Amino acid sequence: MTTSSSISIARSRSVIRRLPSWEQAMSSLDHLRRDFRGYGAKPPHPQWPGNARLALNICVNYEEGGEPSVPDGDATSESGLTEGGTSGYKGRDLAAESMFEYGSRVGFWRVDRLLAERGMTATILGCALALERNPEVCARIRARGYDVCSHGLRWEHHQGMSEAEERERIRNATAKLTHLFGEAPLGWYCRYGSSTNTRRLLVEHGGFLYDSDAYNDELPYWTEVDGKSHLVVPYGLVNNDAKFIRGGMSTGSQLFEYLRDTFDMLYREGAQAPKMMSVGLHLRLVGHPGRAAGLERFLDHVASHPDVWVCRRADIARHWLATHPARP
């Protein structure tokens, strides 16, 4: 006699046989699995060039002209990471627009001067549309040899995009930056958080040596995406001038002290276990004189220490690829 329960079990077994295994079903999502251990108590020695105790990467966010704006077809002007006092009302906010413009008109040149005077390099986290709108800035980036990590086509949320939309954004941003600088960007970093598809789409697109859509370590690490090894060079929002707008800092001295303390601890630890330090800058924020003075003091503090590798993000990625290649 066949019972309804036995029929149900038989049907369930049939469905299970038709479905791929759990491992197969999850294979394309492996890079989304959370890893709470990382390198653990014994991180690898990075073997930075020159036996440096610390790799310092200064990341200059170039977003001015890539933010949401009414002239570009958006409903409102972007007022995030500005000086405040803007209402965020629907329509064109000229105050917010002009605060962004300060970054490209003034801030970029001040930060670039501070770096050039000290012979230091940096990475440009660049929105493609913003860079396209300022040929003089692009020329200076090329002249100084800064590397450009794609910061997306423009300032927008990737989390809300369809897979097809995001694929097209990645393609378009890469094409624009390749045209502007004569070579494709080797890295990617979303303006907001990445979507669950971003890393897979970057690997699918090809040409990217790394992405920085992670905040979970002080060393690069390998992950696997669709059976391919992919390098992650983590970023950080801690050593970041956004704190000026979010209430964490108000003076250049506070910026200097926080960056100095971070640097000093990593430098001490670097005698046995060298790490990397990312410093995030926004031109419309740190580009103002009172804040730039704090950045200037930090750069001088760095320059007073031997065995520090001030480098570009692409340099870190290339070094890790050569020194700590992915396991076959």
Side-chain angles (χ1 to χ4, degrees):
M1 180 177 179
T2 303
T3 65
S4 59
S5 60
S6 62
I7 292 174
S8 177
I9 292 172
R11 286 176 177 170
S12 297
R13 287 174 177 168
S14 175
V15 170
I16 290 172
R17 283 195 297 270
R18 291 198 302 270
L19 288 174
S21 68
W22 172 253
E23 289 79 8
Q24 290 173 321
M26 289 297 294
S27 62
S28 65
L29 301 176
D30 280 347
H31 67 289
L32 299 178
R33 294 178 186 271
R34 299 186 69 186
D35 179 0
F36 292 96
R37 182 176 181 274
Y39 290 122
K42 297 182 178 180
H45 194 294
Q47 301 175 47
W48 299 133
N51 295 315
R53 295 168 63 157
L54 178 63
L56 174 65
N57 176 228
I58 298 166
C59 297
V60 178
N61 289 264
Y62 193 90
E63 302 164 334
E64 290 75 12
E67 81 280 3
S69 69
V70 175
D72 284 333
D74 299 293
T76 60
S77 298
E78 176 60 57
S79 59
L81 296 188
T82 62
E83 298 303 311
T86 58
S87 62
Y89 57 84
K90 289 185 178 181
R92 193 171 182 181
D93 187 335
L94 298 182
E97 286 183 15
S98 64
M99 290 177 196
F100 271 87
E101 291 162 9
Y102 181 93
S104 59
R105 292 164 59 112
V106 180
F108 173 83
W109 302 105
R110 177 168 286 125
V111 171
D112 174 68
R113 175 181 60 79
L114 293 177
L115 292 170
E117 287 174 349
R118 291 155 182 80
M120 294 181 177
T121 192
T123 292
I124 305 296
L125 301 183
C127 291
L129 180 61
L131 288 166
E132 186 178 53
R133 288 173 162 168
N134 200 323
E136 189 177 3
V137 163
C138 290
R140 182 59 177 171
I141 290 170
R142 291 192 296 268
R144 288 280 287 121
Y146 299 139
D147 65 323
V148 178
C149 173
S150 180
H151 204 20
L153 179 62
R154 60 194 301 248
W155 193 348
E156 55 191 349
H157 290 273
H158 276 240
Q159 299 99 322
M161 296 179 188
S162 69
E163 184 173 326
E165 288 173 328
E166 187 172 14
R167 180 181 287 111
E168 175 60 18
R169 293 299 201 286
I170 292 171
R171 186 206 64 77
N172 198 350
T174 304
K176 285 183 182 295
L177 292 174
T178 301
H179 175 73
L180 290 171
F181 297 100
E183 58 184 10
L186 295 180
W188 178 278
Y189 174 61
C190 284
R191 168 56 187 86
Y192 295 98
S194 62
S195 79
T196 55
N197 294 318
T198 304
R199 186 164 289 161
R200 178 173 54 80
L201 292 175
L202 294 175
V203 172
E204 174 190 295
H205 182 279
F208 289 100
L209 190 59
Y210 71 94
D211 79 65
S212 290
D213 285 323
Y215 308 91
N216 53 4
D217 216 305
E218 293 171 344
L219 288 174
Y221 61 88
W222 292 96
T223 187
E224 187 173 297
V225 183
D226 285 346
K228 299 178 181 178
S229 295
H230 178 72
L231 184 64
V232 179
V233 181
Y235 187 50
L237 299 179
V238 178
N239 306 313
N240 198 294
D241 63 1
K243 287 183 168 62
F244 282 121
I245 300 305
R246 293 170 177 161
M249 294 177 181
S250 58
T251 69
S253 292
Q254 289 173 334
L255 175 67
F256 163 66
E257 290 170 3
Y258 189 88
L259 294 180
R260 178 203 61 197
D261 289 350
T262 303
F263 174 89
D264 287 352
M265 174 164 281
L266 289 172
Y267 189 81
R268 289 193 301 271
E269 293 177 347
Q272 283 77 41
K275 298 290 179 61
M276 60 176 282
M277 176 181 176
S278 299
V279 176
L281 304 176
H282 297 79
L283 300 167
R284 61 194 177 278
L285 301 183
V286 80
H288 288 275
R291 296 166 180 164
L295 173 63
E296 182 177 44
R297 291 170 65 191
F298 172 67
L299 297 179
D300 286 340
H301 182 72
V302 171
S304 70
H305 288 70
D307 303 325
V308 178
W309 184 34
V310 181
C311 58
R312 305 173 303 176
R313 215 156 188 78
D315 297 330
I316 292 174
R318 288 192 180 104
H319 174 82
W320 205 263
L321 179 64
T323 310
H324 299 280
R327 294 178 181 178

